[in-house]
Amino acid sequence: MEEEKSTAHCRTVVALCGLGRAGMIHFKGIRLNHRCQLKYIVEDEVEKAKRTLTTYNMTGVTVVSGKEFSVVLADAEVQAVIVATPTFTHENFVIQSLRARKAVFCEKPIAEEIEKAALCYDEAEKAGKPLFCAFNRRFDPSIARIQTKVADRDLGKVHIVKTTSRDSPVPTIDYLKISGGMFHDTGVHDLDMVCWILDEEPVTVHAMGHVHSQAIADISDVDTIVLTLKFPSGAISISDISRHSTYGYDQRVEVFGSNGMVQCNNPPIDSVAIISEPATMTSPAPYSFPQRYEQAYMLELDHFVDLVCDPQKTLKVKRRDTLRATQLAEACHASFMTGQAVSFKYKEY
């Protein structure tokens, strides 16, 4: 209890880089978090950022462009930087922030190349500051409960893990062009989640995929993949992932073991059920990821603030977790390209 009390009233002064899809989620989260004070927004669309501040009736926040980021770095009051800019800019913001001795919260990936992501972690170690990569599903209460059930061996020996991740709506082509491809953009979340739930790393991966959308085919990507992983314990995981779900953001997890099974299904948007003679209708799943993982986004921000306030806190997404997820995404892509299963062994950087 004493450890919890030590950070309960801590104030963290934050700069937010980017006001796109992820940036707006974090903007709202910062606004609602009593331990966060937003001092800067770094956004090249300066007028857009100013309009956002006006819309949310927020004062005392300075908007600067990316070229003016040095203003943020020079401000000793700023303790932390949240990076939610386009993927290709992450590394630069992360490195500069850490060298200025700011804690960093970064949307995945930390860098486009795994070697450069490893260098970012080296910089964090030199600075003595946390570098937190936002694998938000770890902070979803339902998924976290599944992980706890597995860790406590309530299910006995795990035989099979199944995950389903289907996007709603289909992301824009402009986003998909800079997303890094389906294996790295969406598949990486399932890969991280399965390894976290099982607390082990696979020895073999196999991936199949197809593209149903001509627009996505035109940018040389796929929109449907199935990932199969075999683990040293004998557990097997299967992840089916799609860019297109017409009925809401479909996110499910199931773990089957020798003592039983645990499932996490789609939460409905409300508890309304319409019951009549022909049928019973319940409410649909959340529309997209901001609604489905709203609580997870808040909890991961809370965890980051804990890290800033108390350096003795344990980082829940570590260097190896982040680099492993990238390596697994690369291995799955290689399997897809060759049509063959690929052996996996984590490589240290």
Side-chain angles (χ1 to χ4, degrees):
M1 291 299 293
E2 288 303 315
E3 186 180 18
E4 292 180 5
K5 289 179 182 177
S6 66
T7 61
H9 303 291
C10 170
R11 186 191 69 161
T12 300
V13 179
V14 176
L16 173 62
C17 300
L19 270 185
R21 296 196 315 166
M24 278 305 299
I25 291 171
H26 297 309
F27 171 79
K28 293 173 184 177
I30 293 166
R31 181 171 171 266
L32 294 173
N33 192 309
H34 72 279
R35 297 191 297 164
C36 288
Q37 177 188 331
L38 183 61
K39 188 168 184 182
Y40 293 96
I41 292 176
V42 183
E43 169 58 59
D44 287 339
E45 294 185 55
V46 173
E47 292 307 313
K48 167 191 168 182
K50 289 181 178 179
R51 287 195 301 271
T52 300
L53 290 171
T54 300
T55 298
Y56 286 89
N57 197 28
M58 290 186 68
T59 58
V61 181
T62 301
V63 178
V64 298
S65 69
K67 292 180 181 180
E68 301 170 294
F69 188 50
S70 58
V71 174
V72 176
L73 300 176
D75 190 334
E77 191 177 14
V78 175
Q79 300 160 277
V81 175
I82 296 177
V83 180
T85 50
T87 296
F88 67 91
T89 67
H90 286 187
E91 179 195 351
N92 182 50
F93 280 112
V94 169
I95 291 287
Q96 288 192 69
S97 300
L98 290 168
R99 287 179 178 171
R101 299 187 60 78
K102 316 291 187 188
V104 177
F105 174 128
C106 186
E107 283 295 319
K108 59 84 187 161
I110 286 173
E112 290 188 287
E113 298 174 20
I114 194 166
E115 295 85 358
K116 292 182 177 179
L119 291 174
C120 289
Y121 278 102
D122 291 342
E123 289 290 342
E125 190 172 343
K126 289 176 191 175
K129 296 294 180 181
L131 171 54
F132 173 63
C133 185
F135 280 108
N136 63 296
R137 294 187 198 176
R138 292 180 177 225
F139 296 87
D140 177 76
S142 296
I143 298 173
R145 188 176 178 197
I146 287 179
Q147 189 271 341
T148 299
K149 289 287 184 185
V150 172
D152 291 345
R153 301 194 62 80
D154 290 352
L155 303 178
K157 182 178 174 61
V158 174
H159 295 178
I160 297 172
V161 179
K162 293 181 181 178
T163 73
T164 294
S165 300
R166 298 171 186 161
D167 270 349
S168 166
V170 180
T172 66
I173 293 299
D174 284 343
Y175 171 76
L176 293 177
K177 285 178 180 178
I178 62 170
S179 70
M182 194 169 184
F183 292 96
H184 285 275
D185 184 44
T186 59
V188 72
H189 281 290
D190 292 77
L191 294 167
D192 172 71
M193 180 172 60
V194 169
C195 291
W196 172 62
I197 287 172
L198 291 174
D199 192 27
E200 58 177 335
E201 296 171 353
V203 292
T204 308
V205 306
H206 183 259
M208 290 189 295
H210 188 74
V211 57
H212 297 274
S213 163
Q214 186 58 50
I216 295 177
D218 289 343
I219 61 170
S220 302
D221 201 359
V222 291
D223 56 25
T224 307
I225 56 177
V226 175
L227 314 178
T228 306
L229 281 59
K230 177 71 179 293
F231 291 83
S233 66
I236 297 172
S237 73
I238 307 104
S239 299
D240 80 79
I241 307 170
S242 172
R243 285 293 194 188
H244 187 206
S245 168
T246 60
Y247 52 86
Y249 195 65
D250 189 0
Q251 302 278 292
R252 288 171 281 147
V253 183
E254 175 185 297
V255 181
F256 170 73
S258 57
N259 291 346
M261 178 178 71
V262 61
Q263 294 178 323
C264 167
N265 292 311
N266 294 313
I269 58 172
D270 57 42
S271 60
V272 173
I274 301 172
I275 303 169
S276 61
E277 185 178 345
T280 297
M281 297 177 60
T282 57
S283 296
Y287 176 65
S288 196
F289 64 94
Q291 295 81 31
R292 169 61 182 86
Y293 288 116
E294 182 178 13
Q295 192 172 6
Y297 285 118
M298 297 297 292
L299 290 172
E300 71 175 2
L301 178 59
D302 252 345
H303 172 61
F304 178 64
V305 174
D306 283 342
L307 296 169
V308 177
C309 292
D310 183 358
Q312 300 307 311
K313 294 277 189 180
T314 300
L315 188 64
K316 290 186 177 179
V317 183
K318 299 179 176 65
R319 174 191 183 116
R320 186 181 183 108
D321 299 324
T322 304
L323 301 184
R324 177 184 64 211
T326 299
Q327 289 179 42
L328 281 169
E330 290 175 350
C332 287
H333 185 257
S335 173
F336 165 68
M337 294 299 291
T338 62
Q340 303 293 317
V342 172
S343 296
F344 179 79
K345 185 177 181 180
Y346 177 76
K347 180 180 176 182
E348 296 282 359
Y349 283 90

